[in-house]
Amino acid sequence: MVIATILVAFFYSLAAPTESDKGPQTGGFDDTIISFPSTGLASSTHGNPELDEEPAPQRSMSTVFTAASPHAVSNYSRVMVLPRMQEDGVAWISKELPGLDVSVYVANDPRASPHPPKNKGHEVMIYLTYLIEHYDHLPDLVLFMHSHRWTHHNNAFLGFDASQMIRALSGAHVMRAGYVNMRCHWSPGCPVWLRPSSRGDSLARQEETVLEQCWSELFPFDPLPAFLAQPCCAQFALSRGRILSIPRSRYVYYRDWIMRTPLSDYISGRIWEYSWQYLFTKDTAHCPAEHVCYCDGFGVCFGGEEPYSQYVDLLGSKAKIVEELDQVDTNPGIEQGRNSSSSRLPPNDTDTQIKLKARLTQIEAELNHRKEEALQRGMDPRLRAEECGRSWREGDGF
């Protein structure tokens, strides 16, 4: 036990305290909507009591990250790291993102090159393996993404389309932030997600019961946080400087934890889904305002929180009308439903249907207008900076 403690201390003592990163971009958007293995992993019987009020996020003092200034170049070198299973199709990458350097790891094929040392921990094993293997030869930016092009993991206002997100991602934004969660929408994951004090009653958060034990293994010198939070789903971008601010030995340490922990593939991966932001920012909660994420990250600038909320409300109204129209189309009509006690909408081709379609057309036109305005606004680096609350001077670029 003494030896283990000494080794843990050694690994953490190597962490570099600062980042010096330097390091522009495009926009676009679619119509469509390592510690050692635990000696015991029983549920915690102590910790923070249930909180009546939302606690303030905690910040570790063990590592300090400094903001970087983007440099004036036309492009940043970037690589996309992609975990995949043998059965996953990834032909969309070469078609939609020609010229992008991609490092694809096949998790369930040990004969593939490259492949991780073990198929465990979902994407975590592959992300860490890339960092270990390429630590001395990193591009300006590294994007860690899943293999599916269209998925709920992606941003709704970019068509749930990974290719649109990758094309629109601002390299300058990643350079400034160091760590950028690729998902802007808070749900699920923000403003509070995992609580060490929870009994893990929710099927959506099964990892809560082991979070306290895992935290003591992964971050042994940092206090147990009241909660962890960030938008799901383990897709993010890192600057080279932010990666190098943590020594390679620590990435080895974390990968070793994944391989040795008795936790399942699912639970060990889920622990990390809401821990990446802590590793790379030292913030227990990383929940940027959605409109800021879209604007600074992807060049979709609605003009502030209120107009962004109005756009979201319009989308909700559209969804409601579509649902009502579906009910009209499938309704058997009053004549067929005379003996039913339930209320029914009028049959097809009624005034109700005509009014719904007219309202839907009106809302779609307004959505398209606001979308085009948001894209145009995002092309102006000054307006982008103003919406996101950061300083900007002529010539700063994005």
Side-chain angles (χ1 to χ4, degrees), residues 6 17 19 24 84 111 169 208 233 247 255 299 326 353 373:
I6 292 172
E19 167 189 17
R84 62 165 290 200
R111 297 168 298 178
L169 178 66
E208 280 183 323
C233 304
R255 188 177 70 174
D326 286 343
Q353 190 180 46
E373 283 192 334

Side-chain angles (χ1 to χ4, degrees), residues 4-304:
T5 302
I6 292 172
L7 287 173
V8 169
F10 169 73
F11 282 131
Y12 274 79
S13 69
L14 295 175
T18 61
E19 167 189 17
S20 65
D21 228 348
K22 302 194 175 201
Q25 95 82 67
T26 65
F29 135 165
D30 191 90
D31 290 334
T32 53
I33 319 240
I34 210 162
S35 148
F36 294 94
S38 166
T39 55
L41 286 166
S43 301
S44 301
T45 56
H46 62 283
N48 297 305
E50 285 298 322
L51 301 168
D52 295 328
E53 297 183 1
E54 190 176 301
Q58 296 172 322
R59 187 176 180 88
S60 167
M61 299 304 293
S62 61
T63 305
V64 177
F65 297 118
T66 57
S69 299
H71 56 71
V73 297
S74 57
N75 290 292
Y76 296 100
S77 61
R78 57 175 71 187
V79 168
M80 179 169 70
V81 179
L82 204 77
R84 62 165 290 200
M85 304 295 279
Q86 285 179 293
E87 59 271 23
D88 292 340
V90 293
W92 63 271
I93 299 172
S94 58
K95 179 181 178 181
E96 298 295 329
L97 302 165
L100 177 65
D101 288 336
V102 183
S103 188
V104 180
Y105 286 77
V106 185
N108 59 343
D109 184 2
R111 297 168 298 178
S113 179
H115 68 270
K118 190 175 183 178
N119 182 15
K120 185 182 179 185
H122 288 199
E123 68 279 333
V124 183
M125 178 68 68
I126 287 167
Y127 290 0
L128 291 171
T129 297
Y130 176 86
L131 293 172
I132 293 164
E133 293 178 346
H134 296 82
Y135 191 84
D136 295 325
H137 305 283
L138 293 165
D140 294 327
L141 312 174
V142 183
L143 284 67
F144 297 89
M145 298 288 291
H146 296 167
S147 62
H148 303 293
R149 178 180 175 183
W150 288 289
T151 171
H152 70 280
H153 296 173
N154 298 333
N155 286 321
F157 301 163
L158 291 164
F160 298 100
D161 184 351
S163 65
Q164 288 195 55
M165 291 169 62
I166 293 161
R167 283 195 296 267
L169 178 66
S170 166
H173 176 57
V174 178
M175 287 296 185
R176 279 190 297 271
Y179 169 87
V180 173
N181 189 318
M182 293 290 286
R183 181 178 167 88
C184 293
H185 297 274
W186 278 21
S187 179
C190 286
V192 175
W193 191 247
L194 297 182
R195 297 177 186 264
S197 59
S198 173
R199 296 173 298 176
D201 293 335
S202 171
L203 288 176
R205 294 186 286 273
Q206 299 174 47
E207 63 273 26
E208 280 183 323
T209 59
V210 296
L211 179 57
E212 183 174 354
Q213 177 64 52
C214 292
W215 190 266
S216 68
E217 297 169 4
L218 295 171
F219 306 102
F221 302 118
D222 293 344
L224 182 68
F227 67 92
L228 294 173
Q230 72 166 332
C232 84
C233 304
Q235 296 189 123
F236 53 88
L238 290 169
S239 67
R240 177 175 56 217
R242 186 56 53 94
I243 294 170
L244 295 178
S245 68
I246 297 170
R248 190 207 314 254
S249 58
R250 205 123 61 96
Y251 299 127
V252 173
Y253 175 76
Y254 294 136
R255 188 177 70 174
D256 186 62
W257 180 86
I258 289 286
M259 289 193 289
R260 294 173 181 267
T261 178
L263 292 172
S264 69
D265 167 58
Y266 174 76
I267 295 297
S268 60
R270 290 279 294 185
I271 287 290
W272 272 99
E273 183 172 341
Y274 296 97
S275 298
W276 291 115
Q277 84 283 3
Y278 186 79
L279 176 64
F280 291 115
T281 71
K282 290 306 171 188
D283 288 327
T284 57
H286 183 76
C287 299
E290 291 183 10
H291 75 95
V292 171
C293 174
Y294 266 112
C295 183
D296 221 7
F298 301 97
V300 184
C301 302
F302 291 91

